[in-house]
């Protein structure tokens, strides 16, 4: 298994990019309601602001203190020997995958993850050459494996994702290169909450 983990601050920024367009995905803000009878209920709220990610949320039938508690719960599963044994699991930071794609791919290969043999008819390599498929659809065995791996420049997200999340690799590199973007638009209390997760 390969588990990608995004920096929690950038993860919150991604979720909060445009809640009205659907960037919260399945993360649902909730609010406690106390009735005159004293009964307490939890109601789902319409996503409208990244600030809601720092309050109670629901995900997959569970209520979390905030989105960071969901992030921590998810990541703890990635490093659970019972759920994902280390001998067959690699946890990769999304930022490393973005900035050091070739090295990450080589390290995954060193851990035993073999490159797929089925590739598009003209799969690019970092040097601009391409792997060719034979007529039976297999990779041409007369051509050696690529000396380098090349990331896809276009968005890996399709039309089912909000448009504002479908950015090219070069746009992502520019955005994630700036440390100021990690906490842009967040309050001091929200940044303090994030410090416990970085």
């Amino acid at each position: 298994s390969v588990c990608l983990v995004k920096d929690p601050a950038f993860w919150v920024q991604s979720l909060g990019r445009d809640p009205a367009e659907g960037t919260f995905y399945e993360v649902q803000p909730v609010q406690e309601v106390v009735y005159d009878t004293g009964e307490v209920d939890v109601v789902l709220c319409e996503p409208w602001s990244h600030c809601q990610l720092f309050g109670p949320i629901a995900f997959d039938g569970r209520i979390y203190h905030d989105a960071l508690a969901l992030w921590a719960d998810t990541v703890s599963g990635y490093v659970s020997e019972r759920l994902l044994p280390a001998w067959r699991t690699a946890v990769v930071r999304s930022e490393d995958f973005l900035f050091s794609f070739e090295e990450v791919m080589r390290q995954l290969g060193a851990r035993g993850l073999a490159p797929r043999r089925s590739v598009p008819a003209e799969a690019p390599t970092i040097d601009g050459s391409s792997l060719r498929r034979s007529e039976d659809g297999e990779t041409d065995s007369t051509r050696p494996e690529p000396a380098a791996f090349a990331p896809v420049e276009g968005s890996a997200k399709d039309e089912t994702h909000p448009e504002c999340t479908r950015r090219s690799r070069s746009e992502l590199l520019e955005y994630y290169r700036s440390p100021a973007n990690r906490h842009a638009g967040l309050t001091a209390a929200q940044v303090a909450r994030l410090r416990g997760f970085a």
Side-chain angles (χ1 to χ4, degrees):
S1 300
V2 178
C3 305
L4 280 177
V5 177
K6 195 172 216 177
D7 171 270
F10 276 125
W11 182 67
V12 166
Q13 293 288 8
S14 293
L15 285 177
R17 184 171 304 283
D18 189 347
E21 194 180 331
T23 58
F24 275 27
Y25 293 94
E26 286 83 27
V27 174
Q28 185 68 53
V30 296
Q31 180 178 355
E32 277 191 358
V33 176
V34 180
Y35 297 102
D36 293 338
T37 61
E39 185 181 343
V40 178
D41 196 7
V42 175
V43 295
L44 301 178
C45 301
E46 195 66 33
W48 57 271
S49 168
H50 75 274
C51 294
Q52 292 173 292
L53 296 169
F54 291 91
I57 56 111
F59 181 80
D60 198 26
R62 291 184 56 192
I63 304 294
Y64 291 89
H65 173 74
D66 60 12
L68 293 168
L70 167 60
W71 181 92
D73 191 47
T74 302
V75 171
S76 71
Y78 293 170
V79 295
S80 166
E81 192 64 26
R82 185 180 58 78
L83 297 174
L84 296 168
W87 67 269
R88 64 178 189 148
T89 304
V91 179
V92 178
R93 288 181 347 125
S94 294
E95 295 77 13
D96 291 334
F97 193 70
L98 180 63
F99 285 99
S100 304
F101 179 81
E102 186 173 356
E103 180 60 23
V104 168
M105 296 304 290
R106 291 199 186 290
Q107 290 296 322
L108 290 173
R111 287 190 53 115
L113 182 67
R116 284 187 355 190
R117 296 300 299 172
S118 59
V119 294
E122 295 287 321
T125 62
I126 206 162
D127 65 3
S129 63
S130 62
L131 290 174
R132 298 199 186 342
R133 276 196 325 218
S134 61
E135 291 188 20
D136 65 1
E138 292 298 314
T139 304
D140 184 347
S141 59
T142 61
R143 180 141 187 225
E145 288 294 324
F149 298 94
V152 175
E153 174 56 32
S155 177
K157 295 181 179 179
D158 63 18
E159 290 75 31
T160 62
H161 295 268
E163 186 175 347
C164 67
T165 67
R166 299 188 304 248
R167 296 181 287 170
S168 70
R169 183 170 187 277
S170 57
E171 290 172 307
L172 292 170
L173 286 168
E174 181 179 339
Y175 177 77
Y176 287 102
R177 194 170 277 127
S178 172
N181 288 331
R182 287 185 78 237
H183 298 141
L186 301 181
T187 66
Q190 292 165 347
V191 171
R193 174 78 175 129
L194 281 163
R195 282 198 187 104
F197 294 89

